[in-house]
Amino acid sequence: MERSNPGQLSQNEKAVGSARDTSVNGHLLEGVVKVRGRTAGSVGVPAETSAQPSSVMESWKEERTRSVEDNEMSLPSLAAAYNTILRGLGEDPQRQGLLKTPWRAATAMQYFTKGYQEKIIDILNDAIFDEDHDEMVIVKDIDMFSMCEHHLVPIFGKVHIGYLPNKRVLGLSKLARIVEIYSRRLQVQERLTKQIAVAITEALQPAGVGVVVEATHMCMVMRGVQKMNSKTVTSTMLGVFREDPKTRDEFLTLIRS
Ligand SMILES: [Zn+2]
């Protein structure tokens, strides 16, 4: 989904804030169920929304995965599809420069979406530590490369993650791995943002989590819908990051410093 308004923080907080009275987990579950219900029911769903409910917003523990064997098996049909695309564009797939393009493009697309091959729970094993640390943990400027699910062109930008531990911390590199797994799928920026926050919450049960994603959508930039340098900013604030303005402000200040 594309929005050109960079000042989206308050809008997202409002969307997230509908379950203010429930616990962090209760709130999260509600969010997940809601999205599931919407994608599962076909009535009234805009044509652009995903037709594959199982691929979106699953709980991190029950993600559908794609295997390396699946890649090998589907490569010929994917390449054939790219061949069709080339013809459809008025190109000649037999000219020299394009001879291997369908295979290259199919292989590249599998790589761009390799997040389907991985499960969050696998990377978290052995990476969660009991620790009495109760100060905010922030990892900012995590590089993110994803694919817009509406146009199949890149979304890229930075992800900033903060959380307030509650006796459990996560190996720092794993935050970037969570970003990698969710971003290497067909995405909309809002869902990517929320999935990262949900995964961290479910893994660590922290006092709170904040995730901010700043991204450029090539489908907007290349089609001239918005100016070259504008970015879309989305955020998900959970627990004390949502309930306590001071905590949220500290996070937002630190990721901008
Ligand atoms: Zn798009």
Side-chain angles (χ1 to χ4, degrees):
M1 203 177 296
E2 309 113 353
R3 299 209 192 116
S4 55
N5 178 10
Q8 270 204 311
L9 290 181
S10 57
Q11 204 172 342
N12 270 280
E13 279 157 26
K14 206 159 67 185
V16 166
S18 58
R20 185 164 290 270
D21 293 334
T22 57
S23 68
V24 170
N25 262 341
H27 160 69
L28 290 174
L29 285 175
E30 178 176 291
V32 171
V33 168
K34 203 185 289 169
V35 173
R36 242 189 218 153
R38 199 180 61 201
T39 48
S42 57
V43 180
V45 175
E48 269 200 334
T49 354
S50 166
Q52 299 205 345
S54 58
S55 70
V56 297
M57 214 55 202
E58 294 278 13
S59 169
W60 63 291
K61 285 178 182 167
E62 46 184 85
E63 282 155 32
R64 184 172 60 93
T65 55
R66 192 179 80 204
S67 69
V68 175
E69 293 74 41
D70 291 337
N71 282 353
E72 281 169 18
M73 274 174 54
S74 61
L75 194 58
S77 60
L78 257 184
Y82 274 113
N83 198 68
T84 304
I85 287 172
L86 288 175
R87 285 185 202 284
L89 296 176
E91 266 291 357
D92 170 16
Q94 296 307 312
R95 75 176 171 84
Q96 195 185 30
L98 293 180
L99 275 179
K100 291 183 176 170
T101 295
W103 288 89
R104 282 196 212 98
T107 307
M109 187 57 99
Q110 287 182 335
Y111 183 85
F112 298 153
T113 59
K114 68 189 173 74
Y116 290 120
Q117 292 166 233
E118 298 177 288
K119 284 175 161 181
I120 295 289
I121 196 165
D122 294 335
I123 64 147
L124 294 184
N125 282 341
D126 306 323
I128 297 173
F129 306 101
D130 294 330
E131 188 71 61
D132 239 354
H133 188 79
D134 61 354
E135 301 294 320
M136 193 180 292
V137 176
I138 291 183
V139 177
K140 63 176 188 175
D141 293 329
I142 299 169
D143 286 319
M144 179 275 291
F145 299 93
S146 190
M147 298 289 285
C148 158
E149 72 179 19
H150 299 146
H151 301 94
L152 303 184
V153 292
I155 305 170
F156 63 95
K158 302 277 189 193
V159 180
H160 316 293
I161 297 174
Y163 70 95
L164 202 55
N166 177 22
K167 306 239 192 299
R168 295 167 98 187
V169 298
L170 185 63
L172 288 179
S173 66
K174 302 299 181 181
L175 294 175
R177 292 284 291 122
I178 292 173
V179 171
E180 177 82 358
I181 289 177
Y182 283 127
S183 59
R184 296 289 188 176
R185 299 178 182 186
L186 303 186
Q187 277 289 6
V188 298
Q189 187 175 331
E190 292 88 338
R191 186 173 68 232
L192 171 65
T193 310
K194 187 175 253 180
Q195 283 177 326
I196 295 166
V198 168
I200 295 165
T201 300
E202 293 194 346
L204 296 180
Q205 307 289 316
V209 175
V211 177
V212 172
V213 179
E214 305 174 70
T216 300
H217 294 238
M218 291 313 289
C219 53
M220 301 171 78
V221 173
M222 288 186 72
R223 294 188 307 152
V225 179
Q226 68 175 11
K227 289 182 186 146
M228 272 300 276
N229 295 319
S230 66
K231 284 181 179 160
T232 303
V233 181
T234 51
S235 76
T236 298
M237 302 286 167
L238 302 175
V240 290
F241 282 65
R242 182 163 53 87
E243 285 144 17
D244 177 22
K246 270 175 67 181
T247 305
R248 181 170 59 239
D249 288 348
E250 184 189 347
F251 169 60
L252 293 174
T253 303
L254 285 169
I255 65 173
R256 278 162 194 156
S257 62

